[in-house]
Amino acid sequence: MTLLAAATNENLAQISNYLVYSSMAVYTLAFLAHIAEWIFGSRSKVGRTAAALTGAGAAVDAPAVQVRTKGGGTAVLDRPKVVTRSAAGSRDVPDGPGAAGDTVQGDLYGRIAVSLTALAFLIEAGGVVARATSVQRAPWGNMYEFSLTFSTVAVGAYLVLLALKKNVRWMGLILVTTVLLDLGIAITWLYTDSDQLVPALHSYWLWIHVSTAIICGAVFYIGATGTVLYLFRDGYEAKLARGGRPGRFATSVMERLPSAATLDKFSYRINAAFFPLWTFTIIAGAIWAGDAWGRYWGWDPKEVWSFVTWVAYACYLHARATAGWKGRKAAYLALFAFACWIWNYYGVNILLSGKHSYAGV
């Protein structure tokens, strides 16, 4: 009976590996579809004229639209210019038309990309479930399993935002690219046999503490993506405001993104919404440490850098709410906070030794 169970678990582990590789193949197709969306979107007439609309203070009228009247005739109305207002003294700029550039063909490729991303998400989630079933525990006992679940949750959060009608499809190309990178690193350098588990992890706190850490990391990644794009878009808008002429490639990409103010608010709201969950993650970890090791805090490298990450995000949220630290200064602080999270995951797990040294690599 034991041999039969072991054989079944081994088969499930192989199925998990097969599903992970299959998801990477589908993610690659989604990556190509997103590339096509951006390429065909660059041919949009809206896209070619969006640079003029994004010029701060530019006296450009929004496109007019024709509507039918009750008498059978037509009337011409001005299309309202939609802007996202930022802090006092900053630019009020309309959002770009998106990666598809308001073209039918670009939008088609974008929808295909989202559909493929959703399919790859389901396949990868199946791989995570198969991995969990093969070991009969939570599927994040080592860095390989953590990475699989991390990328799955990140894509899941992106799809949820799309389902809620949020304008985030511009993130698709970057997300799929980094997910492929994450999975490539996982299967190449972080792979661990499914039967490995550190004794200290045999606890129900594994489900609570590590799951919230994964959710926070995945959402913080989405916030960091918005922050990076904010910095690029803000620089683009500032150059236009100074009368500069950005290159053709930069114009084609930047003019289709949301405005800098929109990206800034998006990142702030994402980070602010999940900061309390990160606080709970640290508290849950301390409680687990008390149960496992008899102390709530021991200045272990993982504990220290988790707290440093918490402090960095707390400083960012405080700075973002302070008038003198809006914009680029706060954005740099947000990226520093996410860099602390990345270091806490890769650097601390691989390079530093402590009670949390169970990377499995």
Side-chain angles (χ1 to χ4, degrees), residues 25-92:
V26 180
Y27 277 129
T28 301
L29 295 177
F31 169 81
L32 296 175
H34 274 300
I35 290 291
E37 178 188 17
W38 280 94
I39 291 175
F40 286 101
S42 67
R43 303 177 183 179
S44 166
K45 182 179 179 180
V46 174
R48 289 196 300 269
T49 59
L53 292 176
T54 55
V60 180
D61 294 332
V65 294
Q66 287 189 346
V67 297
R68 292 186 180 276
T69 62
K70 292 183 178 179
T74 60
V76 178
L77 300 176
D78 289 335
R79 186 188 303 274
K81 185 171 69 172
V82 180
V83 301
T84 299
R85 297 193 177 274
S86 185
S90 61
R91 298 176 295 273
D92 290 331

Side-chain angles (χ1 to χ4, degrees), residues 227-248:
T227 301
V228 170
L229 292 179
Y230 157 75
L231 292 173
F232 282 108
R233 173 77 188 203
D234 182 67
Y236 173 77
E237 292 178 7
K239 189 170 185 177
L240 288 177
R242 295 192 302 266
R245 293 185 177 181
R248 183 176 179 180

